[in-house]
C-alpha cells in the first residue's frame, strides 16, 4: 500500500513512523509512506500557505492553491482509492473503517492546520473526512498517524503473528478479555486458574465470556 501525506509539518512523523510495527512494515515494503510538505507547493513568492478567512474574526486558513496543486500532481501519477481529510466533524474513525481502508492500494491524507482549510478543497478534492474524536487538535498530523498506524498493523505481514491483530478489541464487535503473563503470582495476586489449566476449549470459552461481559460494561454501544 502507498500512502501520501500532505502536511505542513513532515518532521512530526519521524517518531511514530520510525519505530515498532509501522517502521517494520515500511522496512518490509508492506507500506510506502510519502510525506509532502505543503509549503513546497505554494506559488506565493514567500511560500505562504495560509491566509485570513473571508468574514472571519481571527485565525488563519490553509489556502486552496498549494493543496490543489499537490493533489493534482499526485493524481496525475496514479489512481487513488481515497483522498482523506482529517477533520473534527468527519466520520469517527473505528475498526470497521480501518479494516476497509487496509484493503486499499493508494491513499492520500491531507492534514489541516490553524482554523482548517478552504472549503472548496473539501467540496472538490476530498472523498472522505475522518475524525479521531470529538475534541479539537491543533493539526491533522496526529489523526493521520492514528489512521496509518491502525491500517498498517492489520496488513498481513506487518505483525508476525497475524492472529494477534485479529484477536484485538473491536475485530468481532467485542473488547479484548483480560490478559496475564508470568509470574503466576505477583504481590499475592493470582492469575485466573482456568488460564493455567491447559484446556484450550475451556480457555477460549472463558475468554469469550469475559469479552462479552467487559463489552456490556465498558462499551454497551457495541453489544
Ligand atoms: N476550525 C476547525 C478546527 C480546526 S483544528 C473546527 O472548528 O472544526 C485544525 C486542524 O486539525 C483541522 O483542520 C483538522 O485537520 C485537524 N483536527 C483537529 N481536530 C481533529 C480531530 N478530532 N480529528 C481529526 N482531525 C482533527
Amino acid at each position: 500500500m502507498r500512502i501520501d501525506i500532505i502536511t505542513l509539518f513532515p518532521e512530526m512523523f519521524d517518531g511514530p513512523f520510525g519505530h515498532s510495527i509501522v517502521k517494520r512494515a515500511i522496512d518490509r515494503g508492506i507500506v510506502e509512506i510519502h510525506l509532502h510538505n505543503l509549503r513546497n507547493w505554494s506559488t506565493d513568492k514567500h511560500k505562504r500557505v495560509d491566509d485570513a478567512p473571508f468574514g472571519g474574526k481571527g485565525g488563519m486558513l490553509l489556502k486552496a492553491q498549494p493543496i490543489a496543486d499537490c493533489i493534482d500532481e499526485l493524481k496525475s501519477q496514479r489512481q487513488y482509492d481515497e483522498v482523506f481529510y482529517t477533520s473534527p466533524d468527519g466520520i469517527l474513525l473505528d475498526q470497521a473503517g480501518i479494516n476497509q481502508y487496509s484493503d486499499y492500494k493508494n491513499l492520500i491524507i491531507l492534514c489541516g492546520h490553524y482554523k482548517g482549510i478552504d472549503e472548496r478543497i473539501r467540496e472538490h478534492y476530498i472523498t472522505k473526512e475522518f475524525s479521531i474524536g470529538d475534541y479539537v487538535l491543533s493539526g491533522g498530523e496526529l489523526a493521520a498517524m492514528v489512521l496509518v498506524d491502525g491500517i498498517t498493523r492489520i496488513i498481513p505481514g506487518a505483525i508476525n503473528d497475524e492472529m494477534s491483530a485479529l484477536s484485538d478489541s473491536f475485530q468481532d464487535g467485542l473488547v479484548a478479555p483480560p490478559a496475564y503473563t508470568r509470574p503466576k503470582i505477583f504481590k499475592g495476586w493470582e492469575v485466573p486458574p482456568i488460564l493455567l489449566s491447559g484446556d484450550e476449549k475451556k480457555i477460549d470459552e472463558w475468554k469469550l465470556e469475559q469479552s462479552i461481559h467487559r463489552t456490556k460494561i465498558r462499551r454497551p454501544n457495541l453489544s
Side-chain angles (χ1 to χ4, degrees), residues 85-89 110-117 130-140 143:
Y85 172 54
T86 57
S87 184
D89 62 2
L110 169 65
C111 305
H113 225 87
Y114 311 121
K115 294 295 276 181
I117 64 173
F130 75 94
S131 162
I132 60 166
D134 289 344
Y135 37 79
V136 176
L137 303 165
S138 6

Side-chain angles (χ1 to χ4, degrees), residues 172-188:
D172 46 10
L174 297 172
V175 302
Y180 304 82
T181 185
R182 270 177 279 271
K184 288 178 188 166
I185 302 176
F186 175 68
K187 292 189 185 229

Side-chain angles (χ1 to χ4, degrees), residues 76-93:
S76 74
Q77 293 163 353
R78 68 196 60 77
Q79 268 212 298
Y80 284 90
D81 298 283
E82 210 81 83
V83 182
F84 285 108
Y85 172 54
T86 57
S87 184
D89 62 2
I91 45 169
L92 270 182
L93 193 61

Side-chain angles (χ1 to χ4, degrees), residues 1 19-20 39 54 56 67 73 92 109 111 117 135 147 176 189 204 206 214:
M1 173 188 286
H19 299 274
S20 186
R39 214 166 284 286
F54 288 121
I67 300 174
E73 170 143 355
L92 270 182
I109 309 174
C111 305
I117 64 173
Y135 37 79
L147 177 63
W189 303 319
D204 285 347
W206 180 86
R214 281 211 161 174

Side-chain angles (χ1 to χ4, degrees), residues 45-206:
K45 65 173 185 290
H46 303 294
K47 294 277 172 212
R48 270 188 67 175
V49 289
D50 59 325
D51 211 332
F54 288 121
K57 291 215 176 78
M60 299 297 264
L61 274 185
L62 291 180
K63 286 149 64 86
Q65 174 274 316
I67 300 174
D69 285 358
C70 181
I71 297 177
D72 280 342
E73 170 143 355
L74 290 172
K75 289 211 292 200
S76 74
Q77 293 163 353
R78 68 196 60 77
Q79 268 212 298
Y80 284 90
D81 298 283
E82 210 81 83
V83 182
F84 285 108
Y85 172 54
T86 57
S87 184
D89 62 2
I91 45 169
L92 270 182
L93 193 61
D94 63 5
Q95 192 61 50
I98 285 180
N99 290 353
Q100 183 194 343
Y101 311 144
S102 71
D103 274 340
Y104 291 164
K105 257 186 82 184
N106 299 308
L107 302 178
I108 292 175
I109 309 174
L110 169 65
C111 305
H113 225 87
Y114 311 121
K115 294 295 276 181
I117 64 173
D118 190 302
E119 186 69 19
R120 289 164 291 189
I121 294 293
R122 298 176 69 169
E123 279 170 18
H124 300 287
Y125 280 88
I126 301 301
T127 59
K128 191 155 276 164
E129 303 190 330
F130 75 94
S131 162
I132 60 166
D134 289 344
Y135 37 79
V136 176
L137 303 165
S138 6
E141 284 73 15
L142 288 168
M145 291 170 199
V146 168
L147 177 63
V148 170
D149 186 291
I151 288 178
T152 303
R153 65 191 300 282
I154 56 167
I155 299 178
I159 295 187
N160 286 337
D161 177 3
E162 254 176 64
M163 280 310 291
S164 142
L166 294 179
S167 64
D168 284 328
S169 290
F170 309 117
Q171 283 297 2
D172 46 10
L174 297 172
V175 302
Y180 304 82
T181 185
R182 270 177 279 271
K184 288 178 188 166
I185 302 176
F186 175 68
K187 292 189 185 229
W189 303 319
E190 291 180 21
V191 169
I194 182 85
L195 293 177
L196 310 173
S197 69
D199 185 335
E200 258 184 59
K201 191 163 167 271
K202 284 237 163 73
I203 292 175
D204 285 347
E205 280 167 13
W206 180 86

